[in-house]
DNA sequence: AGAGCAACGTTAATTGATTCACGTTATTTG
DNA sequence: CAAATAACGTGAATCAATTAACGTTGCTCT
């Protein structure tokens, strides 16, 4: 199977959201136009995206919800749940921990790490917090593949290096720093301050009807 | 002045981060290559971005830090601080409130709102929390132009409508929903779950050296 | 059963962003 | 002082992503 572009993957996940809702509601089929609206793109874009895995829809009903969902998740998810480690149990880290507590069965934050001896050993929001020195051992034992960085910017690179050494394959970085990583590690940055700055900027530029966001 | 593309604006803000650091360190000049590394793009990209506002650099020194910073912020920021309202003082909302407490002088969250009568009237992380019914009044009084949505997904559209009614110009939305808004309102979505899903996805696809994030 | 049509599937055209390539310029060096 | 050089400025080429166009398909209706 040919690799699917990042932007497309993002949309596929978002189609998934609507499809779940549709399925809950008992709908059998869905039109490209509905999917398009839910993700704020054109129906052509949707059809093009779905081409990536040869899904057939019919003109009258659109795409069969059940089958589409199955095919989508066949590509987007593994059988086994993805195991995630979070580094930095501060304000943001705790918010994320509490949110992911049994929200998505296939995505679970199985361990949190911090340098603060006060936090290590305790349980926050249902997650065991370990001292950072335990990372490599636990990552190997639990087969953790994704790391979330919510430490202060000054420690972010160091945390990233530890994650790489521990064998993780992808990093979600909330610190406002550009991490230097081996090219085979997937990196996604979420810079909340930057996003607010952008919003502030465009709030002043009138009439620009741009739509953005990961 | 011609409008600057969104992607470029984002990079400009990030150049700003390095420039601040350079200035602190007492550097007089900076090369496109340095800026490029800090943002993970090519030097050509940097030079092209800076073309947007006719900044002249010299081959030997590069760009004058002081002047570049000034010109950058002339375009990126207003004189007056941007005033921000946050809706939904939950886990995530509180983390953001505490983070923005006098972090950036030009970006301040001046009021927070919630429906929960327990929260309204109290002060969280240095911010006064009001009942949502006060939004329109306070937004007008304080001249708030940006709204941050950290309410549950089910309430997000309703919150967005209130913000628009209150006259804000840009929204930063953390709820996993596609908001329907008038075209003149700038919208930026941050979907943390989606970002984690993407990271999980690409952690399995080997060798893709993609770099992403708002 | 055939006309109408609404939405799909796909190819082609367009748009936009990034990279390439190269001429220009301000030092530094022999 | 001319040659070398290192980085800038920018037009042209490339590349990726989106949009447009259009033939195809499988119902519905008369
Ligand atoms: N909270 C927000 O809304 C917000 C907004 C924008 C950016 N950020 C970024 O997110 C990151 C975290 O923000 P926060 O508000 O949660 O900060 P915080 O100070 O509340 O939490 C940081 C946590 O990381 C721990 N830590 C420090 N060094 C560590 C290390 N080397 N290894 C492991 N743990 C370590 C600290 O003990 C602390 O618990 C920062 O980089 C910040 O810039 C946060
Ligand atoms: N916390 C995270 O890490 C995280 C991760 C991914 C997505 N999100 C999204 O961010 C949003 C907030 O998440 P959270 O974890 O902070 O939730 P939360 O339940 O902790 O907080 C929600 C807050 O919003 C308030 N609220 C509810 N309806 C409201 C309304 N109509 N107007 C104003 N306030 C209202 C509630 O009283 C509560 O204080 C949700 O949409 C969630 O899906 C959060």
């Amino acid at each position: 199977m040919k690799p699917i572009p990042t932007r497309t993957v993002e949309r596929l996940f978002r189609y998934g959201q609507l499809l779940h809702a549709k399925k809950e509601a008992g709908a059998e089929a869905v039109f490209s136009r509905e999917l398009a609206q839910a993700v704020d793109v054109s129906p052509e874009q949707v059809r093009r995206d779905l081409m990536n895995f040869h899904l057939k829809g019919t003109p009258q009903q659109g795409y069969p919800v059940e089958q589409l969902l199955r095919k989508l998740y066949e590509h987007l998810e593994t059988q086994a749940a993805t195991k995630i480690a979070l580094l930095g149990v501060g304000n943001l880290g705790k918010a994320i921990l509490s949110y992911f507590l049994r929200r998505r069965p296939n995505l679970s934050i199985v361990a949190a790490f911090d340098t603060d001896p006060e936090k290590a050993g305790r349980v926050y929001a249902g997650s065991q917090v370990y001292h950072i020195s335990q990372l490599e051992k636990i990552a190997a034992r639990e087969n953790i593949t994704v790391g979330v960085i919510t430490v202060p910017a000054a420690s972010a690179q160091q945390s990233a290096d530890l994650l790489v050494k521990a064998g993780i394959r992808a990093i979600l970085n909330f610190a406002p720093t550009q991490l230097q990583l081996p090219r085979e590690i997937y990196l996604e940055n979420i810079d909340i301050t930057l996003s607010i700055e952008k919003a502030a900027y465009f709030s002043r530029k009138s009439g620009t009807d741009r739509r953005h966001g990961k």
Side-chain angles (χ1 to χ4, degrees), chain A:
Chain A
M1 162 127 310
K2 61 243 108 181
I4 299 173
T6 315
R7 301 289 280 285
T8 306
V9 169
E10 190 174 308
R11 287 192 297 267
L12 294 177
F13 275 112
R14 307 228 283 153
Y15 299 150
Q17 293 173 8
L18 177 70
L19 288 172
H20 274 297
K22 276 269 171 189
K23 190 183 166 188
E24 295 290 302
E28 304 253 314
V30 63
F31 292 115
S32 59
R33 184 166 37 78
E34 300 176 83
L35 289 163
Q37 272 199 313
V39 177
D40 196 24
V41 294
S42 68
E44 292 84 359
Q45 180 79 80
V46 174
R47 295 205 294 272
R48 171 161 284 279
D49 286 342
L50 298 190
M51 266 178 70
N52 276 298
F53 16 8
H54 317 296
L55 279 156
K56 295 288 167 180
T58 71
Q60 263 58 35
Q61 260 72 48
Y63 302 91
V65 172
E66 184 72 36
Q67 190 185 334
L68 179 46
L69 250 181
R70 187 150 29 79
K71 275 235 175 195
L72 260 176
Y73 278 90
E74 228 165 75
H75 282 267
L76 297 179
E77 295 203 342
T78 42
Q79 258 56 10
T82 299
K83 293 188 173 181
I84 304 168
L86 183 141
L87 272 59
V89 187
N91 290 308
L92 185 56
K94 282 186 223 166
I96 293 172
L97 283 178
S98 69
Y99 186 79
F100 274 88
L101 187 58
R102 74 175 152 178
R103 181 80 54 149
R104 299 261 168 165
N106 263 31
L107 296 175
S108 53
I109 301 180
V110 297
F113 299 87
D114 206 297
T115 41
D116 188 341
E118 284 287 307
K119 287 170 180 163
R122 291 191 51 187
V123 172
Y124 266 116
S127 284
Q128 176 70 48
V129 180
Y130 302 93
H131 188 265
I132 190 72
S133 59
Q134 307 287 299
L135 174 60
E136 201 164 345
K137 192 178 75 187
I138 291 168
R141 190 181 75 202
E142 296 277 349
N143 191 28
I144 291 172
T145 56
V146 175
V148 176
I149 294 181
T150 50
V151 303
S155 309
Q157 181 64 54
Q158 180 193 339
S159 296
D161 294 343
L162 289 174
L163 283 167
V164 172
K165 195 133 71 78
I168 62 87
R169 312 287 319 277
I171 290 177
L172 181 55
N173 173 42
F174 283 88
T177 320
Q178 183 60 43
L179 298 176
Q180 303 299 323
L181 296 173
R183 296 208 81 67
E184 71 270 16
I185 307 286
Y186 175 84
L187 171 64
E188 169 129 356
N189 295 299
I190 294 185
D191 189 332
I192 297 175
T193 306
L194 179 57
S195 291
I196 290 194
E197 281 174 331
K198 278 196 289 174
Y201 175 83
F202 286 111
S203 75
R204 294 193 296 274
K205 310 287 162 188
S206 59
T208 44
D209 59 338
R210 299 158 186 287
R211 290 296 144 94
H212 275 276
K214 334 309 75 50

